Amino acid sequence: MAADDRLEDDELARRLREAHRRVRMLPAADRERFSRRYLAICDLAKRDPDRAATRLEAFLTDLTSDFDTPDAQ
């Protein structure tokens, strides 16, 4: 079984892919800041998946709260 086959059922892997997709769609200035945090979470996931899941949840909350409110013009 290939490693990618096992990831299909992994909730953390699915959420990391979703976070990656959302970070990719950000404006360049914001994308750089969030990319660093995302990469740190991915690195942590290799060693401590439970802690990475907790950090990913906070990351997704920050990502959503920063960009769900309309810009004041």
Side-chain angles (χ1 to χ4, degrees), residues 6-59:
R6 287 180 286 151
L7 292 178
E8 292 301 316
D9 296 326
D10 188 358
E11 181 68 15
L12 178 58
R14 185 191 63 75
R15 295 184 72 219
L16 283 168
R17 285 191 303 268
E18 174 63 20
H20 180 261
R21 184 189 64 78
R22 292 176 62 188
V23 168
R24 243 187 8 231
M25 294 172 26
L26 295 174
D30 297 315
R31 185 174 49 238
E32 184 176 337
R33 178 171 52 107
F34 280 100
S35 290
R36 283 191 212 108
R37 285 183 63 193
Y38 172 76
L39 289 174
I41 294 168
C42 288
D43 188 51
L44 180 61
K46 296 172 190 175
R47 297 182 312 260
D48 189 349
D50 293 331
R51 189 168 173 210
T54 302
R55 288 188 62 188
L56 179 60
E57 184 64 36
F59 175 75

Side-chain angles (χ1 to χ4, degrees), residues 49-72:
D50 293 331
R51 189 168 173 210
T54 302
R55 288 188 62 188
L56 179 60
E57 184 64 36
F59 175 75
L60 290 171
T61 300
D62 287 348
L63 186 62
T64 301
S65 66
D66 280 356
F67 298 101
D68 277 353
T69 56
D71 292 340

